[in-house]
Amino acid sequence: MAGCLRIFTNSIPLSILPVLRPSSTPILPSLCRPGFLARKTSTANNHHIEYNWIRGVEKLEKYRPGGYHPINIGDVLNGRYHIADKLGFGGYSTVWLALDTRLKQYVAVKVNIADSLPRETTALKALSAPVISSSCAHPGPDSVPVFLDEFEVQGPNGRHMCYTVTPAQCSLREISFSRLFSIDVARALSYGIAQAVAYTHSRGYVHGDIHLSNVLLKLPSSFDGPSIKQFYEKYGEPETVPVTRCDGEPLPPNAPAKAAVPIFLGKYAEEVALSDVHPLLSDFGEAFSPASEHRLGQDCHTPLAFRAPEAKFEPRAPIAYPSDIWSLVTAIWEIMGMKAIFSTEFVPEDEIVAQHIDVLGPMPSEWWQRWKGRRQFFDEDGRPTESYRDNRWPPLQGSFEDGVQKWRRKMGEELGESEKAAFLDLMRRMLAFRPEERPTAEEVLRSEWMVKWALPDYKRR
């Protein structure tokens, strides 16, 4: 089995660059000079320590009071979880592959920065709870992580909340970068993710951060067989690099002696078979229940390329389930094609808004009047400025041809006219500017394209 183990957190991919093993990871020259006087932090009697940079690992300067907990391969957490390898990291946690010595199975252990709030565990517990009424049965529980355990660890940087879930393979972002899924796999993945969102909504939760970095593929059940020794024999020893300070001084207890590079087992989009399509919607760090928490548009942390426009234009209005529908459609578009419907590069927010108008047409008039940045791109009549004219994105149908169809045509998998019409109809309805005009997740599943094209491939898994 080829693949890569991942879970993701807080909108940031836990592994930034995939690293093949067993290759070495060099320590690149540091930007700080030997003997450089470290700048002070606000903490009394503590200096800000700078570390030599290591490719593919978390920011080592975050191993400080209030930050990451130092973990080494071979550690045992909570007297039970034997750390076998590293799965990844995010801005607020590190994630490790561990053998549960009590149950003899592998788990993903997420170790949060010190004193973080248990927001994600609250959502995962709710989604993992059994459904009491059979009338509420939903086919999607297997498409979200299974919450297993939670505990605390105390270390030199503070008290850290930890929890475990079943481990999973690569994110779709990693395995699809500059690559194309076969058409049957793409359709099945689209249906599976939509079903995961529908299930999440049916349990009263908005995910709040849907994009391909937060969609994983499940591991086969056979993964739990080997011991740690057998795991290393099959996948290779963990790759670790000594942590060193820029000033050459000894390491403090706040940092680990060695940094572990996240494991990468390497399965890419064109290698994914229909039988592999078991998507898992992950990272519920931004999830919330509208029934008990009012999340305002200004509090939305979804990356700009996938963020619903009401977050910008109605910043003091509550966001809810329709914001997930906008993010879901951007994910489906990327799965089906090679190019995202809106720019995934680091561009200003106003440029993304201009792309929305290019692709979808005029936005609601009150939003247009409220948009202070419009003069960079359009005149008062909505015509593109001379400086922007050559940088416009094509309308929806042209974007489909450029980002999806021409790549499918090269593979001999061009969407027929009937499927194309049904697909674009669904995309346009999900991309309605006004959130109340978007279909619900259940309505997405009942759409013509999902029922006639995506669902049959999903069933054939």
Side-chain angles (χ1 to χ4, degrees), residues 310-324:
E310 61 267 26
K312 175 179 177 62
F313 292 104
E314 302 290 345
R316 297 189 178 278
I319 55 174
Y321 305 108
S323 64
D324 272 355

Side-chain angles (χ1 to χ4, degrees), residues 88-218:
F89 58 90
Y92 300 95
S93 66
T94 56
V95 185
W96 304 82
L97 178 68
L99 180 64
D100 182 344
T101 57
R102 185 179 303 174
L103 299 181
K104 307 300 182 185
Q105 66 183 31
Y106 285 96
V107 297
V109 182
K110 180 174 179 178
V111 183
N112 291 308
I113 61 172
D115 301 320
S116 58
L117 297 175
R119 176 182 296 277
E120 188 168 14
T121 58
T122 300
L124 288 175
K125 286 178 182 178
L127 294 170
S128 299
V131 178
I132 298 175
S133 172
S134 59
S135 63
C136 298
H138 195 284
D142 290 340
S143 58
V144 297
V146 177
F147 182 84
L148 300 173
D149 188 21
E150 64 180 331
F151 57 94
E152 296 180 6
V153 295
Q154 182 72 38
N157 296 328
R159 180 181 61 91
H160 306 262
M161 299 297 298
C162 311
Y163 74 86
T164 66
V165 294
T166 50
Q169 293 187 51
C170 291
S171 77
L172 298 192
R173 170 75 63 218
E174 289 176 291
I175 64 179
S176 65
F177 183 73
S178 296
R179 298 170 185 271
L180 198 63
F181 294 105
S182 64
I183 188 64
D184 56 347
V185 167
R187 292 182 188 125
L189 283 171
S190 298
Y191 190 90
I193 297 170
Q195 184 168 263
V197 174
Y199 172 71
T200 301
H201 290 185
S202 75
R203 300 306 299 267
Y205 273 84
V206 174
H207 182 277
D209 199 18
I210 298 171
H211 49 82
L212 296 193
S213 292
N214 288 337
V215 180
L216 317 178
L217 289 179
K218 284 187 178 182

Side-chain angles (χ1 to χ4, degrees), residues 145-442:
V146 177
F147 182 84
L148 300 173
D149 188 21
E150 64 180 331
F151 57 94
E152 296 180 6
V153 295
Q154 182 72 38
N157 296 328
R159 180 181 61 91
H160 306 262
M161 299 297 298
C162 311
Y163 74 86
T164 66
V165 294
T166 50
Q169 293 187 51
C170 291
S171 77
L172 298 192
R173 170 75 63 218
E174 289 176 291
I175 64 179
S176 65
F177 183 73
S178 296
R179 298 170 185 271
L180 198 63
F181 294 105
S182 64
I183 188 64
D184 56 347
V185 167
R187 292 182 188 125
L189 283 171
S190 298
Y191 190 90
I193 297 170
Q195 184 168 263
V197 174
Y199 172 71
T200 301
H201 290 185
S202 75
R203 300 306 299 267
Y205 273 84
V206 174
H207 182 277
D209 199 18
I210 298 171
H211 49 82
L212 296 193
S213 292
N214 288 337
V215 180
L216 317 178
L217 289 179
K218 284 187 178 182
L219 284 165
S221 57
S222 60
F223 183 79
D224 278 331
S227 65
I228 291 180
K229 180 181 178 181
Q230 292 170 323
F231 176 84
Y232 291 159
E233 289 173 352
K234 184 173 183 179
Y235 299 110
E237 295 280 339
E239 183 179 0
T240 59
V241 181
V243 174
T244 56
R245 289 172 52 156
C246 290
D247 58 12
E249 294 295 316
L251 292 178
N254 308 85
K258 294 182 178 180
V261 178
I263 186 171
F264 184 82
L265 306 176
K267 190 166 195 175
Y268 293 108
E270 67 271 18
E271 301 169 334
V272 177
L274 200 57
S275 59
D276 296 320
V277 178
H278 297 279
L280 196 69
L281 182 61
S282 185
D283 186 359
F284 284 79
E286 293 293 333
F288 67 100
S289 174
S292 58
E293 178 183 351
H294 285 282
R295 182 78 60 84
L296 303 182
Q298 63 190 17
D299 301 321
C300 179
H301 297 133
T302 309
L304 289 177
F306 324 111
R307 186 182 301 175
E310 61 267 26
K312 175 179 177 62
F313 292 104
E314 302 290 345
R316 297 189 178 278
I319 55 174
Y321 305 108
S323 64
D324 272 355
I325 301 302
W326 181 283
S327 301
L328 172 62
V329 68
T330 64
I332 291 173
W333 186 281
E334 280 195 86
I335 289 169
M336 289 294 293
M338 184 69 80
K339 183 180 179 182
I341 190 168
F342 306 118
S343 177
T344 56
E345 305 296 328
F346 290 103
V347 299
E349 184 177 22
D350 284 329
E351 190 169 333
I352 295 290
V353 174
Q355 293 173 13
H356 291 171
I357 294 172
D358 292 340
V359 175
L360 303 172
M363 65 167 62
S365 58
E366 65 270 26
W367 290 7
W368 172 262
Q369 295 301 323
R370 204 177 299 156
W371 182 27
K372 295 180 180 179
R374 68 179 187 272
R375 292 182 180 86
Q376 302 175 56
F377 309 96
F378 305 99
D379 64 21
E380 288 303 313
D381 296 322
R383 292 186 294 264
T385 61
E386 184 175 347
S387 61
Y388 181 61
R389 189 172 295 122
D390 293 336
N391 298 316
R392 297 191 69 190
W393 283 52
L396 185 65
Q397 187 153 335
S399 291
F400 173 79
E401 176 61 34
D402 183 52
V404 179
Q405 191 77 311
K406 79 174 183 181
W407 301 98
R408 292 288 167 199
R409 191 176 294 121
K410 290 179 180 180
M411 293 184 65
E413 296 180 336
E414 181 178 4
L415 275 67
E417 287 301 315
S418 296
E419 181 179 4
K420 172 184 171 180
F423 180 79
L424 287 176
D425 174 71
L426 177 61
M427 299 297 100
R428 185 173 291 281
R429 290 191 292 117
M430 293 175 73
L431 287 167
F433 277 114
R434 297 187 185 278
E436 65 271 17
E437 295 176 359
R438 294 172 208 149
T440 65
E442 290 291 349

